[in-house]
Amino acid sequence: MKKEMKPIQLAIMGAGTVGGGVYKLLQMRKDDMYLRAGTDIEIKKILVKSIPETRKDVDASLLTENFEDIVNDESIQIVVEVMGGIEPARTFILRCLNAGKSVVTANKDLIAVHGRELLDAAEANHVDFLFEASCAGGIPIIRPLKECLVGNDITEIMGIVNGTTNYILTKMDQENMEFDEALAKATELGYAEADPTADVEGLDAGRKMAIMGSIGFHSRITFDDVYTEGITHITSKDIKYAKDMDCVIKLLGIARHTESGVEVRVHPTLIRKDHPLASVNDVFNAVFVHGDAVDDTMFYGRGAGELPTASAVVGDVIEVARNIIYGCLSRVGCSCYKELPIKGIGDIESKYFVRMIVSDCAGVLGNVASILGNNHVSIEQIIQRPAGDGMAEIVAITDVVQEKNFKAAMQTLSDMSFVQEISSMIRVYA
């Protein structure tokens, strides 16, 4: 039964871009929060590293540098963690959960490694732990996977889940930029961090895929289980040849549930121009889910940013507030009831794009085909063009092949005297 409630007190840990967005959105919704959540929600404390002398965008009386002001305040029922990183976020969240406070977080780094521990702590203390904002910013995906699509056996979750790399690849595709130039543009516009490693090396996307794969396949996947490969080696020439083959290159996160186990990976991928993900450009994200009953669904929108991410956080806050009013918990906690094997990258099957420089003389193409055939690699599409100085450039897309066989073929080719270099090897979505 719904109870008449005093305003629910909330604390925010972190006042950066997302924390500022959460504060701003809660203020924007203040006048009708009672109608949306069933009670008013008041911000009581905001944890910051240091209290600035002046900060016009936040009520200075709410700021504190002391975590104890939050965890020891019995009136605070909901804590929003948007600090990022593993520590001290993990310790702070566990202490809040153990103190009987529900927690909402956007911390993909933490959940991809310690998700089970945090969900178990929430269950043990009869509080909520929600994390919709952790995977795709403002795009709803956690709740759809946990609830709306739970009647399906989900066999694939894939998508563009990092806006920085998608912006870079879009600029390389549409404006013929090289990687360094596109990265500089992304940094100038604030889409890339001063240290962009987590984005451009696929680590950010890998964490998100670990979370979504765990939920979708009901089996625990941690970040260490995810194969990650970034986009720093992608060139404008790769982009051009992909276009010639009616494809585009995207950094894709791919999670598949196969008969032999689960594969979870992040890497640059050629996809056909007619695939829905091919038209997802700039900083936009999209997640493509295949279920046995629903078939294909796609979730599209802004995957990061102040207010888009705050949208997901505040949605979770309202969910927790409703649960407090009705004296209940979220209906779905940890859903990993299986223990599925994780496949190594060598055991996955894919098509491959390969670009190499070889001697421009009779018989070379036949020798390349023979070496590929000996390693069970067949060719679906091939282009050969002069490269100057007695050399030729061969660009091919293979049929589906096991990765270890493809890599063995590439190793053999790289040792051949007629091969000057293997310039690119990029997986193709099949």
Side-chain angles (χ1 to χ4, degrees), residues 41-324:
I41 298 174
E42 297 179 350
I43 301 171
K44 189 165 185 183
K45 292 291 181 184
I46 300 175
L47 181 65
V48 294
K49 289 182 179 179
S50 62
I51 297 177
E53 293 182 7
T54 59
R55 181 161 181 165
K56 296 179 180 179
D57 58 332
V58 175
D59 182 351
S61 68
L62 303 176
L63 302 180
T64 180
E65 298 175 8
N66 188 357
F67 168 69
E68 302 300 327
D69 291 342
I70 293 173
V71 73
N72 293 328
D73 188 334
E74 293 182 1
S75 71
I76 294 173
Q77 295 176 276
I78 305 175
V79 177
V80 171
E81 184 276 311
V82 284
M83 303 164 62
I86 301 294
E87 289 291 356
R90 172 180 166 272
T91 297
F92 286 179
I93 289 174
L94 284 171
R95 287 192 62 193
C96 287
L97 294 171
N98 290 332
K101 304 178 190 300
S102 292
V103 175
V104 171
T105 182
N107 194 331
K108 58 187 173 292
D109 300 39
L110 183 58
I111 298 167
V113 178
H114 296 287
R116 170 167 283 176
E117 177 186 28
L118 298 171
L119 285 163
D120 287 349
E123 182 178 7
N125 290 284
H126 308 290
V127 291
D128 284 328
F129 178 70
L130 301 183
F131 48 94
E132 183 62 65
S134 64
C135 285
I139 304 170
I141 189 63
I142 301 299
R143 193 168 285 116
L145 288 173
K146 277 181 172 283
E147 299 181 22
C148 308
L149 298 175
V150 74
N152 289 261
D153 278 339
I154 292 173
T155 54
E156 183 175 52
I157 303 167
M158 76 164 189
I160 297 164
V161 291
N162 182 273
T164 301
T165 50
N166 202 41
Y167 177 85
I168 290 170
L169 291 172
T170 298
K171 289 301 174 185
M172 292 177 71
D173 179 66
Q174 296 181 353
E175 300 183 24
N176 300 315
M177 293 183 180
E178 290 292 352
F179 171 81
D180 289 341
E181 183 183 3
L183 173 58
K185 185 68 174 176
T187 304
E188 176 189 336
L189 294 174
Y191 297 147
E193 301 287 345
D195 179 1
T197 303
D199 293 323
V200 300
E201 295 296 348
L203 309 181
D204 174 82
R207 294 179 178 111
K208 295 170 181 177
M209 295 310 300
I211 297 168
M212 288 189 285
S214 295
I215 296 168
F217 306 146
H218 305 290
S219 183
R220 179 64 52 192
I221 299 166
T222 67
F223 177 57
D224 288 342
D225 297 321
V226 184
Y227 172 85
T228 57
E229 180 184 315
I231 65 168
T232 56
H233 62 285
I234 301 297
T235 68
S236 60
K237 185 172 281 191
D238 295 324
I239 300 277
K240 182 181 181 302
Y241 274 118
K243 285 183 178 179
D244 291 344
M245 293 175 161
D246 207 30
C247 294
V248 297
I249 297 177
K250 297 289 187 181
L251 182 73
L252 291 188
I254 300 172
R256 283 181 174 154
H257 182 193
T258 72
E259 291 184 358
S260 55
V262 169
E263 56 187 62
V264 192
R265 45 198 168 96
V266 171
H267 48 68
T269 310
L270 271 74
I271 53 174
R272 304 288 299 180
K273 287 182 179 178
D274 58 1
H275 192 283
L277 290 176
S279 59
V280 177
N281 291 319
D282 296 314
V283 294
F284 283 86
N285 284 193
V287 180
F288 199 83
V289 180
H290 182 84
D292 63 342
V294 75
D295 200 27
D296 292 330
T297 61
M298 191 168 87
F299 303 80
Y300 169 84
R302 294 190 177 274
E306 180 187 51
L307 288 180
T309 306
S311 167
V313 172
V314 171
D316 279 350
V317 166
I318 291 173
E319 173 78 3
V320 174
R322 289 170 177 163
N323 289 341
I324 291 172

Side-chain angles (χ1 to χ4, degrees), residues 375-396:
N375 287 279
H376 311 288
V377 181
S378 59
I379 298 297
E380 179 184 273
Q381 192 174 354
I382 192 165
I383 297 172
Q384 180 174 336
R385 291 175 179 165
D389 297 326
M391 307 303 290
E393 188 165 46
I394 293 176
V395 180

Side-chain angles (χ1 to χ4, degrees), residues 4-62:
E4 289 297 324
M5 293 290 297
K6 294 179 181 179
I8 289 176
Q9 304 296 310
L10 173 142
I12 302 173
M13 299 194 299
T17 299
V18 178
V22 172
Y23 177 87
K24 184 184 297 184
L25 190 55
L26 285 170
Q27 296 302 110
M28 290 165 59
R29 300 291 171 260
K30 187 174 183 178
D31 290 342
D32 62 353
M33 184 58 77
Y34 187 91
L35 298 174
R36 294 179 185 233
T39 188
D40 291 320
I41 298 174
E42 297 179 350
I43 301 171
K44 189 165 185 183
K45 292 291 181 184
I46 300 175
L47 181 65
V48 294
K49 289 182 179 179
S50 62
I51 297 177
E53 293 182 7
T54 59
R55 181 161 181 165
K56 296 179 180 179
D57 58 332
V58 175
D59 182 351
S61 68
L62 303 176

